[in-house]
């Protein structure tokens, strides 16, 4: 009896000390929770829609069609000699992921407020699963892009093998923004309404509908800090043989993401302590 | 001796309440930033301790009820122990896996099917995949949702939803179970099933902290209880005593029935307390409205542990001048109880309280096997306030009778 009691885990409830004690989901059960919430979001998102999961393909394709008509045909944005649909889609692929991940993880604490009030788990599980979920859409869209490149007879270079690095960076960048917004939107309800505007602004600050070569040189330094720009350029470089993003720009934006992510974790941890009381 | 399973030391939780409105928008934040820095509450704010100076030790296998009025800190205590919110001071140590059951259907999503929600909820509550698959048939059987397992739960009746939610949580099998008020939902039959399930968990040697307003279930399940008042523990002891003190506190200026000696009978059945409940919600009510459905709950115990046979109960309701107004009796309606457990409670339900606003007293009369067991005069008080008895919003003027009777008028040529 005593022996059994000895091996039991001891849960300690006490005020947390230090801002840097970040509650990362590390145990197997918490990681299972992440994967289950990812599955739930996917399952629920298209429940009761007539077209169901086809929306995963339809959304990027329709967006692409709009961009193609507006920017490719009417405004005639230069696309560095690449067919505009392919030019735009290589950027839309990572961008759609980033924007979805940021907007969903940004409101993840509000969406699952009921859960937070009633059961304990590291709250980071919520923005984390919200940023992992859109990777499924990313996978489907990649297949659409592959089909499109075959149609235009474009062969990707072996650099495509580097693509996962840019994708990984995209996940970290989205997570950095998402964690900050999640904590902020839980504390200040106005933030929820700002998130779509922030994402919209970010879209136009990134070389998605237009090539980065259009950006005037004097804005370039600021522009390069945008991790989405580095990611999008990286995707085009890996898939379409465009210019490599500036090394300086890449380092700067990696540094920026690291700072935002770390500070976000600390801020999130501080919010987490009183989360059940404010939601 | 083994260390206690739950050890709570000086636990406290402070909430800062803004008296006007919470600084929840960015504008409020900007304004507040210029106004204050530091710990002291600003003007228009005050500190409220939901729980304070709380010390409690619970040994393995013990089942402890936490009773107290709304706002006494019961739910906050469970939230602290289940780590949903962090304490402001003090600490608590819990040995073993903690399962908290603070609502029914934790994590359920309306668009997902019953089967999917079982997996989701069970995972959120901390069950491992192999445990879920092993327990799934049991959960489904307990919830009685076999035919609807692959239907989204939004199409479930509220009863089915609640059954499924409880079934998942009840099959968690943690070492320490924290339960809050879950039995306040569902029909009577299901509530009974829930109490039995919890009793089974208790028999398995689990440690349970149980918060409920359902006094009979508290008496039935928990040998020990603690009473919270305004966030502090004011009593820790045998449940019967604690419940009596609690009920006494909720009906002020009454001597608790359990300590009254001005009674007659052989005490084979002994009334220990009573509660007035809303007949529909089952919530304890301080006052009754005219026309409100009322449940008079009478708690009792007995000297032995054998069940009691042929129990007759009568409640007399008396007005200000000791005139008897109403006689409620088991033999007039449902019949005397053939058999009652050795302790528990009986309910007397009045569909629409027919008393005019005022204060009334109750006498209790009980026989077991035709022998007088307990007779207490002035056993309790009923405070009646105006209510909409006739559905017209009107009541007779004060002095125009003490009892109201439903009636209709019509005219003939």
């Amino acid at each position: 009896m005593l022996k059994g009691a000895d091996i039991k885990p001891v849960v300690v409830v006490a005020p947390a000390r230090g801002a840097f004690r970040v509650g990362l989901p590390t145990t197997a059960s918490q990681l299972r929770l992440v994967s289950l919430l990812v599955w739930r979001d996917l399952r629920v998102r298209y429940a009761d829609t007539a077209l169901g999961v086809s929306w995963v393909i339809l959304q990027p394709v329709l967006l692409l069609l709009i961009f193609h008509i507006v920017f490719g045909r009417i405004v005639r944005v230069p696309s560095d000699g690449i067919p505009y649909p392919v030019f735009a889609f290589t950027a839309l692929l990572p961008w759609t992921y980033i924007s979805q991940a940021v907007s969903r993880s940004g409101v993840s604490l509000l969406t699952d407020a009921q859960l937070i009030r009633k059961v304990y788990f590291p709250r980071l599980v919520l923005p984390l699963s919200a940023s992992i979920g859109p990777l499924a859409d990313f996978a489907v869209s990649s297949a659409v892009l592959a089909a499109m490149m075959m149609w235009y007879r474009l062969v990707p270079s072996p650099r495509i093998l580097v693509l996962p690095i840019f994708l990984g960076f995209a996940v970290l960048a989205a997570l950095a923004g998402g964690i900050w917004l999640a904590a902020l939107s839980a504390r200040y309800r106005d933030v929820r309404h700002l998130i779509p505007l922030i994402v919209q602004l970010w879209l136009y600050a990134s070389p998605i509908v237009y090539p980065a070569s259009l950006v005037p040189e004097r804005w370039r330094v600021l522009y390069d800090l945008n991790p989405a720009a580095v990611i999008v350029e990286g995707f085009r470089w890996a898939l379409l043989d465009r210019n490599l993003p500036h090394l300086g720009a890449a380092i700067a934006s990696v540094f920026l993401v690291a700072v935002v992510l770390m500070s976000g974790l600390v801020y999130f941890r501080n919010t987490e302590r009183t989360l059940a009381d404010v939601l | 001796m083994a260390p206690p399973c739950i050890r709570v030391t000086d636990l406290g939780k402070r909430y800062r309440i803004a008296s006007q409105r919470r600084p929840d928008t960015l504008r409020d934040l900007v304004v507040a930033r210029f106004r204050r820095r530091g710990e002291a509450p600003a003007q228009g704010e005050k500190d409220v301790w939901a729980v304070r100076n709380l010390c409690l030790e619970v040994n393995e296998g013990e089942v402890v009820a936490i009773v107290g009025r709304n706002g006494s800190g019961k739910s906050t205590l469970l939230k602290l122990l289940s780590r949903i919110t962090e304490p402001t001071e003090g600490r608590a140590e819990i040995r073993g896996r903690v399962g908290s059951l603070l609502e029914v259907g934790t994590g359920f999503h309306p668009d997902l099917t019953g089967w999917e929600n079982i997996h989701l909820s069970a995972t959120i509550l901390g069950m491992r995949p192999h445990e879920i698959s092993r327990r799934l048939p049991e959960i489904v059987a307990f919830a009685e949702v076999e035919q609807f397992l692959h239907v989204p739960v939004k199409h479930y009746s509220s009863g089915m939803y609640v059954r499924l939610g409880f079934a998942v949580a009840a099959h968690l099998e943690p070492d320490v179970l924290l339960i809050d008020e879950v039995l306040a939902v569902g029909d009577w039959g299901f509530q009974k099933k829930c109490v039995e399930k919890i009793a089974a968990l208790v028999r398995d040697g689990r440690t349970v902290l149980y918060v409920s307003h359902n006094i009979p279930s508290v008496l039935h399940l928990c040998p020990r209880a603690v009473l919270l008042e305004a966030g502090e523990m004011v009593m820790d002891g045998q449940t019967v005593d604690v419940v009596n003190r609690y009920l006494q506190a909720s009906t002020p200026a009454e001597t608790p029935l359990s300590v009254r000696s001005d009674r007659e009978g052989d005490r084979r059945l002994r009334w220990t307390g009573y509660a007035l409940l809303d007949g529909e919600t089952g919530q304890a009510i301080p006052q009754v409205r005219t026309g409100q459905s009322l449940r008079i709950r009478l708690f009792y115990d007995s000297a032995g542990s054998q069940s009691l046979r042929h129990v007759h109960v009568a409640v007399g309701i008396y007005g200000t001048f000791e005139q008897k107004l109403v006689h409620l009796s088991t033999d007039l309606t449902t019949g005397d109880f053939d058999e009652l457990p050795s302790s528990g409670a009986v309910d007397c339900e009045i569909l629409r309280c027919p008393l005019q606003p005022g204060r009334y007293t109750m006498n209790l009369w009980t026989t077991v096997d035709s022998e007088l067991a307990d007779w207490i005069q002035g056993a309790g008080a009923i405070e009646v306030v105006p209510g909409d008895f006739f559905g017209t919003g009107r009541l007779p003027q004060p002095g125009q009778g003490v009892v109201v009777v439903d009636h209709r008028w019509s005219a003939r040529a």
Side-chain angles (χ1 to χ4, degrees), chain B residues 23-55:
Chain B
D24 258 6
T25 62
L26 278 178
R27 204 188 54 155
D28 293 343
L29 172 75
V30 172
V31 173
R33 274 280 172 256
F34 288 108
R35 200 158 45 76
R36 73 179 142 93
R37 271 272 181 204
E39 274 294 293
Q43 208 178 7
E45 281 186 341
K46 59 175 180 176
D47 285 344
V48 173
W49 288 87
V51 167
R52 193 153 203 201
N53 301 331
L54 202 113
C55 298

Side-chain angles (χ1 to χ4, degrees), chain B residues 379-399:
Chain B
I382 302 175
E383 189 84 39
V384 181
V385 294
D388 193 9
F389 182 88
F390 296 107
T392 61
R394 289 181 203 165
L395 282 176
Q397 293 292 320

Side-chain angles (χ1 to χ4, degrees), chain B residues 45-324:
Chain B
E45 281 186 341
K46 59 175 180 176
D47 285 344
V48 173
W49 288 87
V51 167
R52 193 153 203 201
N53 301 331
L54 202 113
C55 298
L56 178 68
E57 287 196 0
V58 179
N59 291 315
E60 199 173 311
E62 250 194 307
V63 185
V64 179
I66 301 168
V67 293
R69 271 186 264 183
N70 288 334
S72 60
K74 306 180 305 270
S75 300
T76 306
L77 176 60
L78 285 201
K79 275 189 175 176
L80 289 170
L81 292 181
S82 51
R83 292 201 288 166
I84 290 167
T85 186
E86 265 184 18
T88 314
E89 57 179 35
R91 79 191 254 123
E93 286 164 34
I94 307 173
R95 271 163 211 285
R97 263 175 89 190
V98 182
S100 56
L101 185 41
L102 304 195
E103 68 171 346
V104 161
T106 307
F108 273 23
H109 195 289
D111 282 325
L112 298 180
T113 68
W115 188 88
E116 290 166 332
N117 270 315
I118 292 175
H119 281 263
L120 187 63
S121 184
T123 306
I124 289 171
L125 291 170
M127 234 191 275
R128 300 186 187 93
H130 66 270
E131 291 174 318
I132 300 175
S133 2
R134 188 160 47 87
R135 304 232 146 257
L136 196 80
E138 240 177 283
I139 293 173
V140 173
F142 187 90
E144 302 161 27
V145 293
E146 286 91 342
Q147 301 112 293
F148 305 97
L149 202 50
H150 297 288
V151 174
V153 295
K154 65 180 169 189
H155 299 308
Y156 279 27
S157 71
S158 59
M160 286 161 67
Y161 186 93
V162 163
R163 287 206 298 274
L164 187 62
F166 182 84
V168 174
H171 290 83
L172 264 182
E173 305 207 319
D175 303 307
V176 179
L177 194 57
L178 310 171
I179 309 175
D180 189 5
E181 287 294 354
V182 280
L183 301 176
V185 290
D187 54 58
W188 186 82
F190 184 68
Q191 286 195 16
K192 194 160 168 264
K193 205 169 159 183
C194 294
V195 173
E196 279 161 14
K197 180 69 196 173
I198 293 172
L201 292 173
V202 169
R203 278 195 298 278
D204 281 358
R206 267 164 247 284
T207 312
V208 180
L209 276 193
Y210 183 62
V211 164
S212 179
H213 283 128
N214 188 332
I215 298 293
S217 75
V218 165
L219 285 166
H220 178 59
L221 290 171
C222 316
R224 177 183 163 196
V226 297
L227 176 62
L228 297 188
E229 263 172 32
E232 306 207 19
M233 193 165 81
V234 294
M235 194 176 172
D236 180 352
Q238 293 211 336
T239 304
V240 181
D241 303 332
V242 174
V243 162
N244 273 322
R245 165 119 182 233
Y246 164 58
L247 293 173
Q248 172 200 354
S250 19
T251 51
E254 301 266 2
T255 313
L257 292 181
S258 55
V259 300
R260 293 246 323 232
S261 52
D262 53 335
R263 64 214 295 170
E264 288 185 51
D266 61 16
R267 321 262 166 103
R268 268 193 290 170
L269 180 154
R270 199 178 70 110
W271 299 113
T272 55
Y274 75 97
L276 303 179
L277 310 174
D278 180 294
E280 274 159 43
T281 62
Q283 296 283 331
I285 44 177
Q287 299 156 326
V288 192
R289 291 188 313 276
T290 307
Q292 185 179 17
S293 84
L294 168 67
R295 210 183 294 164
I296 304 170
R297 181 161 289 175
L298 306 166
F299 302 98
Y300 68 89
D301 63 12
S302 55
S305 58
Q306 294 103 335
S307 58
L308 303 159
R309 300 198 150 269
H310 307 300
V311 181
H312 164 78
V313 184
V315 176
I317 297 180
Y318 291 77
T320 329
F321 304 109
E322 299 292 328
Q323 83 275 35
K324 186 161 186 174

Side-chain angles (χ1 to χ4, degrees), chain A residues 54-61 64 85-86 88-98 100 133-151 154 156 160 163-164 166-168 170-171 231 235 239-240:
Chain A
S54 346
W55 277 111
V56 177
I57 297 185
L58 274 174
Q59 274 168 338
V61 168
L64 177 69
V86 178
F89 208 85
T90 43
L92 271 182
L93 194 59
W95 171 251
T96 308
Y97 165 74
I98 291 174
Q100 284 188 350
L135 282 175
D137 305 56
F138 177 88
V140 174
S141 297
S142 305
V144 174
L145 179 67
M148 201 157 35
M149 287 179 72
M150 280 202 282
W151 171 263
L154 292 167
I160 195 169
L163 210 59
F166 288 105
L167 179 60
V171 174
I231 292 160
F235 265 68
L239 289 166
L240 303 174

Side-chain angles (χ1 to χ4, degrees), chain A residues 18-261:
Chain A
F20 289 91
R21 245 191 44 178
V22 174
L24 286 171
T26 43
T27 68
S29 77
Q30 289 159 359
L31 292 176
R32 263 200 310 279
L33 184 54
V34 171
S35 60
L36 204 77
L37 289 174
V38 168
W39 165 83
R40 177 198 69 174
D41 291 343
L42 286 174
R43 174 82 179 69
V44 163
R45 188 137 40 97
Y46 302 109
D48 274 353
T49 57
L51 296 175
V53 185
S54 346
W55 277 111
V56 177
I57 297 185
L58 274 174
Q59 274 168 338
V61 168
L62 290 176
L63 191 60
L64 177 69
L65 204 66
I66 295 167
F67 281 11
H68 177 56
I69 293 166
V70 175
F71 298 105
R73 286 290 153 89
I74 301 171
V75 187
R76 289 191 183 277
V77 176
S79 57
D80 293 352
I82 296 159
Y84 189 81
V86 178
F87 172 83
F89 208 85
T90 43
L92 271 182
L93 194 59
W95 171 251
T96 308
Y97 165 74
I98 291 174
S99 64
Q100 284 188 350
V102 167
S103 18
R104 274 191 229 149
S105 53
V107 295
S108 57
L109 297 181
L110 297 176
T111 320
D112 277 313
Q114 178 64 17
L115 216 50
I116 290 170
R117 280 197 297 264
K118 293 295 181 188
V119 64
Y120 169 77
F121 53 85
R123 309 313 189 190
L124 210 51
V125 160
L126 292 171
L128 198 60
S129 61
S131 356
I132 292 173
L135 282 175
D137 305 56
F138 177 88
V140 174
S141 297
S142 305
V144 174
L145 179 67
M148 201 157 35
M149 287 179 72
M150 280 202 282
W151 171 263
Y152 284 105
R153 294 175 193 283
L154 292 167
V155 183
S157 72
R159 289 183 208 149
I160 195 169
L161 296 174
V162 188
L163 210 59
I165 294 178
F166 288 105
L167 179 60
F169 186 47
V171 174
L172 289 179
L175 205 53
I179 287 173
W180 261 107
L181 289 173
L184 281 170
S185 66
R187 278 196 187 179
Y188 313 107
R189 295 304 152 84
D190 306 43
V191 174
R192 161 173 234 163
H193 306 293
L194 271 176
I195 292 174
L197 292 171
I198 294 170
V199 170
Q200 198 74 12
L201 192 70
W202 200 357
L203 166 71
Y204 292 115
S206 312
I208 292 157
V209 294
Y210 57 87
S213 53
L214 277 189
V215 177
E217 202 54 42
R218 60 198 160 102
W219 292 109
R220 195 66 210 205
V221 178
L222 198 62
Y223 195 81
D224 284 343
L225 273 176
N226 177 2
V230 172
I231 292 160
V232 163
E233 293 284 272
F235 265 68
R236 288 203 175 116
W237 166 76
L239 289 166
L240 303 174
D241 200 13
R242 305 312 302 160
N243 302 327
L244 188 66
H246 301 187
L247 189 63
I251 292 171
S253 62
V254 166
F255 185 71
L256 181 72
V257 166
V259 169
V260 174
L261 187 60

